[in-house]
Each structure stands twice: as C-alpha cells, then as structure tokens.
C-alpha cells in the first residue's frame, strides 16, 4: 500500500473535446508548481496521481491549493489490487490509529467489470468494520469518519479527508490576456478572476515619475507577485506615462483629463496585447464606481480599441471586491498609501457623460501618436516569480 496524493479535476471533465489540452496543461502547471519537490505525476481522464518521494505532503498540498483547475486534493492509499478481501485488510490497518464512533463507507467503481455494484461493496466493507472495530456504528448523514473507496482499472484507493481545490480552469488553457494592473484594490482581484478562467496574464502598469514614487511601483510588483502564484510567473510591462499625462494636463480642458488619459491607456494596452499575442484586456473597472466608469464614460473610453475588454468586477460592489482581496492577500498591499498616476491628475469636476467627438477634437491638441510610440519603445519588462528571495529594489 502506498500513500500518495490524488487530484480530482471537477469542472474540467465536462470539456469533452478539449479534455486532453486541459489535462496536459494542468499537469504542466502542477509540474511547474512542484518543480522543487521530488514527485512523480501520473494521470488518466479522471484523476491525477502524485507520488511524493520526499514525504513533503503538507508543503505540496499547500502548493496545490494555488493551482487552478483542481477541484479536490486527497491524500490516499493505493493498493495494486481490486480484491475486496485485500482492501478490507489494508483498510483495517489504516483504521488502527483512527478514533471514531460513527462512519460511512462510500465506494466509486470506475471499472464496471467488477462483479459487485458500489453500494454492495460499501455495505460489505461497512459490515466488516462493524465487526472489527469495537463501539462503532454507521451514520449515513453525519459520520465522524468518511471512508472513501475507489476501484479503478487495476488499482484501488482508500482515502478519508479531502481538501477543496481552487476550481476554475488550468492557467493558459484559454490563451493570454493583458491585465491593466494598478496599485489599487480592484485590478489584482480582476486579475485573479481572469486567471481562474484559464487566462494566462501579462500585467501592464502605467507609472508617472516623478509624480508617482518608487514605492508605488514596488507596491504593484508586490501585487504582481501574489498573482504570479496562480499564473506560474507574471511579466509586468511598465509604461512610462509621464510625458503623455503632462501633455494632457497642459493642453486639454480639465473635465476631460481622465477620459482622455484612459483612452491613451487603452490604446497602449491594445498595442502591448497585440505584441504579446494576448486576445483580451482585463481591468478592474466596476460600473458606477467613479466618473470614468459610468456607462457613457466606459463607451467613450472603450471606443478607441477593438480588442475585447473583460471587466470581471463590472457588477461587483466594493465590499464584495474587498472580501476577495482579503481572501487572496492583496488587500493589505493595495491599501498602502502611495499615489497612483490616476489619483494625481484628478480634476475637480470630471465629466460624467463624455462625448467621444469632443474627445477626438481635444486629442488633436496633443501629438498623442508620437507620444504613444515613444512610451512603447521605451517600455520596461519585469518578470515576477513567486519566490521569497525576490527583492524588487534590486530589480528596479
Ligand atoms: P481602486 O481600488 O482605488 O478603485 P483601481 O486601480 O481600480 O483602484 P480605478 O481608478 O478604479 O482604480 O481604475 C480602474 C482600472 O483601470 C483599474 O482597476 C486598473 O485596471 C486600470 N488602471 C488604473 N490605473 C492604472 C495604472 N496606473 N496602471 C495600469 N492600470 C491602471
Ligand atoms: Mg477601481
């Protein structure tokens, strides 16, 4: 009998035509996640089996809890036999150190050639436990101990506890997206949600030194590091936005500052996305949150690009967003008080219903195509990995 980790895919198994892509990508992502551990991974259409050769079960389970596409993680015992007598014998050995008064046996039989149906096996094994473990009884509704048996092609598995996985799709199965990542609360949450749907992200950050500080940039890198846990690693494109913002500030009527600044961000984001073969932009906009997120504003801003813009938080309340930020550990970093480029050039009365023809007229007042060209030519790319020793001050 060998102790190992069993992974269940959950939602993946409904993707009939793409199942191989999904499972292979998940395997690749798990391998990457566990690259510093000594493991051996085997899989079939319904399960993945991880032999842990360094006995680091706890560390590995914690790492697997950060992999999208995993529905359940189980520590189980493998028996190279389907013989019921042998299963009962091994089960009894496993139960030796377990204290319980009530139990339930649940059997899954993927090998239909086995002569007994699942409920018969459960009943038989249950009767055997009652005989051999004193003072125990069956409770089908609320048992202290759940005993799971799985009989597959030539092996059977026994397991007790299950750990919930993150669900979602394996990262990369849906292709790539560019996340507009600021230091705020919303965009890291939006990124997390897109990764959950199988989108591999590259991040894009607009900085405006000297109006924005190195601390603000560090904060974005910290947030990227959290996202990199789920994304394998993450590339952050940093765009130097100062010249564009100053040109807007000097030349354009202030009520339109934000609308036009965001149109410039979108244009740049689309170019970056095309260059890295990303199919979508992702951002943290939420309907009605600020003047630039009214429906009319969103339309006037969205109009300058043809790439789809996915807004996972479009219909979320701020409190709901904060809840997720706390769960994924981005909240404490996001609320650090460093200025973002959006917060510095905020006009007193931003337009709530901007007119796109007015935007086009105002944009003629600045050489924005040249400015965008320069910003992209000089942009910097930083690779962020979820490794403890990474110190951003050394990189920046
Ligand atoms: P907050 O939580 O304070 O609202 P925010 O980052 O969402 O932070 P918004 O002004 O609501 O700030 O910006 C809307 C979206 O635009 C962000 O979620 C983010 O996707 C994008 N964005 C804003 N500023 C930047 C920036 N400096 N770099 C990259 N993307 C940005
Ligand atoms: Mg916001």
């Amino acid at each position: 009998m060998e102790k190992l980790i069993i992974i269940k895919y959950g939602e993946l198994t409904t993707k009939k035509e793409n199942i191989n892509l999904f499972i292979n990508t998940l395997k690749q992502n798990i391998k990457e996640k566990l690259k510093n551990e000594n493991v051996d991974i085997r899989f079939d259409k319904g399960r993945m089996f991880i032999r842990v050769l360094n006995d680091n079960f706890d560390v590995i389970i914690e790492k697997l809890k950060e992999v999208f596409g995993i529905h359940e993680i189980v520590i189980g015992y493998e028996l190279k036999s389907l013989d019921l007598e042998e299963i009962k014998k091994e089960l009894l050995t496993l139960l030796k150190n377990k204290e319980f008064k009530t139990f339930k046996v649940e059997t899954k039989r993927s090998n239909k050639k086995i002569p007994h149906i699942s409920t018969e096996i459960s009943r038989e094994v249950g009767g055997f436990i009652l005989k051999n473990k004193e003072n125990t009884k069956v409770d089908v509704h609320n048992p202290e101990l759940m005993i799971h048996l799985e009989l597959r092609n030539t092996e059977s598995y026994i397991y007790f506890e299950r750990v919930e996985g993150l669900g979602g799709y394996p990262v990369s199965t849906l292709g790539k997206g560019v996340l507009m990542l600021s230091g705020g609360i919303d965009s890291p949450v939006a990124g997390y949600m897109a990764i959950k749907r199988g989108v591999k992200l590259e991040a894009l950050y607009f900085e405006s030194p000297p109006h924005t500080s190195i601390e603000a940039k560090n904060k974005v890198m910290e947030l990227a590091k959290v996202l990199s846990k789920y994304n394998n690693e993450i590339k952050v494109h940093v765009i130097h936005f100062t010249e564009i913002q100053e040109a807007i500030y000097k030349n354009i009527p202030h009520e339109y500052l934000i609308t036009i600044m965001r149109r410039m961000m979108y244009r740049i984001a689309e170019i970056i996305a095309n260059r890295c073969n990303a199919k979508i932009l992702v951002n943290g906009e939420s309907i009605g949150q600020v003047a630039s997120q009214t429906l009319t504003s969103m339309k006037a801003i969205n109009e300058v690009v043809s790439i789809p813009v996915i807004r996972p938080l479009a219909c979320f309340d701020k409190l709901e967003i904060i809840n997720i930020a706390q769960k994924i550990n981005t909240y404490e970093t996001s609320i650090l008080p460093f200025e973002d480029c959006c917060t510095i050039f905020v006009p007193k009365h931003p337009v709530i219903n901007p007119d796109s023809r007015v935007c086009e007229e105002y944009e003629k007042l600045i050489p924005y195509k040249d400015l965008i060209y320069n910003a992209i030519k000089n942009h910097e790319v930083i690779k962020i990995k979820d490794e403890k020793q990474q110190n951003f001050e050394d990189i920046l």
Side-chain angles (χ1 to χ4, degrees):
M1 195 172 37
E2 188 183 7
K3 185 175 172 188
L4 42 58
I5 294 174
I6 306 167
I7 304 276
K8 302 189 187 180
Y9 314 141
E11 196 181 352
L12 285 194
T13 49
T14 59
K15 302 267 159 233
K16 287 219 164 47
E17 313 85 66
N18 293 331
I19 190 148
N20 288 337
L21 167 72
F22 277 68
I23 294 176
N24 284 326
T25 310
L26 179 61
K27 185 181 177 203
Q28 229 17 67
N29 294 346
I30 290 178
K31 264 187 158 173
E32 177 64 28
K33 189 60 140 181
L34 301 181
K35 65 173 184 257
N36 296 326
E37 306 294 333
N38 196 356
V39 294
D40 171 47
I41 306 174
R42 193 163 47 86
F43 64 97
D44 62 26
K45 285 214 155 57
R47 300 275 184 269
M48 203 164 286
F49 303 95
I50 304 181
R51 293 215 139 70
V52 179
L53 307 168
N54 58 0
D55 211 36
N56 247 350
F57 278 89
D58 291 349
V59 175
I60 291 174
I61 300 273
E62 282 312 303
K63 288 187 177 175
L64 290 171
K65 282 203 234 160
E66 294 171 352
V67 178
F68 282 120
I70 295 179
H71 177 65
E72 246 175 42
I73 308 162
V74 166
I75 295 190
Y77 298 85
E78 184 184 76
L79 199 67
K80 296 235 178 286
S81 160
L82 298 173
D83 181 69
L84 211 49
E85 291 312 308
E86 263 191 66
I87 295 174
K88 286 195 270 188
K89 199 177 97 206
E90 297 293 352
L91 175 59
L92 203 57
T93 319
L94 292 173
L95 292 180
K96 242 184 211 143
N97 306 323
K98 288 205 182 287
E99 289 290 321
F100 62 96
K101 289 212 165 50
T102 58
F103 71 94
K104 178 185 177 184
V105 182
E106 207 162 79
T107 308
K108 243 193 165 167
R109 179 187 63 132
S110 61
N111 180 348
K112 301 295 174 209
K113 287 190 196 124
I114 297 168
H116 308 284
I117 59 166
S118 308
T119 44
E120 284 171 1
I121 299 174
S122 298
R123 208 174 309 129
E124 159 106 23
V125 174
F128 172 78
I129 297 170
L130 288 175
K131 251 190 244 148
N132 289 281
K133 286 286 278 183
E134 276 174 17
N135 300 327
T136 59
K137 59 178 190 210
V138 173
D139 180 349
V140 290
H141 299 295
N142 197 13
E144 264 175 63
L145 183 71
M146 271 300 301
I147 301 171
H148 297 269
L149 303 178
E150 276 195 34
L151 281 65
R152 299 180 76 77
N153 284 341
T154 54
E155 295 91 9
S156 37
Y157 297 88
I158 303 172
Y159 56 86
F160 306 101
E161 301 110 53
R162 306 190 279 193
V163 180
E164 216 177 296
L166 280 183
Y169 298 142
V171 176
S172 286
T173 40
L174 269 292
K176 211 190 263 183
V178 164
L179 169 69
M180 299 166 74
L181 180 62
S182 68
I185 296 167
D186 302 330
S187 50
V189 174
Y192 175 85
M193 293 174 82
I195 300 173
K196 181 167 188 178
R197 302 321 294 162
V199 180
K200 170 99 180 175
L201 291 181
E202 295 199 10
L204 170 61
Y205 169 56
F206 296 91
E207 62 165 357
S208 291
H211 312 295
T212 58
S213 62
I214 189 77
E215 285 85 0
K217 186 174 185 175
N218 276 339
K219 179 174 152 182
V220 173
M221 298 304 150
E222 274 302 333
L223 294 170
K225 188 167 160 181
V226 177
L227 292 179
S228 76
K229 278 190 202 171
Y230 308 98
N231 200 59
N232 295 342
E233 63 168 29
I234 195 162
K235 269 189 202 162
V236 186
H237 300 259
V238 181
I239 292 279
H240 201 291
F241 204 49
T242 316
E243 284 75 27
I244 297 177
Q245 270 195 308
E246 286 177 353
I248 296 172
Y249 196 71
K250 276 184 205 136
N251 297 290
I252 287 173
H254 280 192
E255 55 169 0
Y256 268 77
L257 280 186
I258 298 274
T259 316
I260 290 183
M261 184 188 81
R262 295 195 65 77
R263 281 164 63 103
M264 297 300 164
M265 284 184 169
Y266 268 51
R267 289 181 171 112
I268 292 173
E270 182 172 47
I271 297 170
I272 298 283
N274 287 337
R275 283 199 180 180
C276 63
N277 200 21
K279 305 288 186 292
I280 55 167
L281 298 181
V282 179
N283 68 33
E285 287 171 348
S286 176
I287 297 170
Q289 194 183 79
V290 284
S292 62
Q293 291 163 31
T294 62
L295 297 185
T296 320
S297 280
M298 280 170 149
K299 182 170 182 291
I301 293 164
N302 207 144
E303 256 173 21
V304 300
V305 294
S306 55
I307 187 169
V309 181
I310 303 295
R311 301 171 178 87
L313 308 180
C315 301
F316 278 48
D317 291 344
K318 195 76 189 188
L319 280 179
E320 293 170 316
I321 301 171
I322 289 175
N323 265 338
I324 305 175
Q326 284 169 333
K327 260 193 223 139
I328 64 170
N329 278 329
T330 52
Y331 184 71
E332 294 301 325
T333 307
S334 290
I335 57 171
L336 293 173
F338 306 116
E339 296 277 27
D340 182 59
C341 66
C342 288
T343 40
I344 287 169
F345 295 93
V346 180
K348 277 208 185 72
H349 303 291
V351 59
I352 287 172
N353 290 310
D355 183 327
S356 27
R357 276 163 312 177
V358 175
C359 292
E360 282 161 21
E361 284 310 308
Y362 287 163
E363 283 170 352
K364 288 182 187 154
L365 302 171
I366 55 173
Y368 75 86
K369 287 188 181 150
D370 292 343
L371 291 169
I372 287 179
Y373 175 83
N374 280 336
I376 289 183
K377 198 173 74 185
N378 297 324
H379 96 279
E380 174 193 7
V381 181
I382 301 173
K383 262 192 196 171
I384 303 287
K385 288 187 185 143
D386 175 37
E387 278 163 10
K388 305 267 173 308
Q389 62 274 30
Q390 193 159 15
N391 183 348
F392 304 118
E393 268 130 46
D394 294 345
I395 305 174
L396 302 176

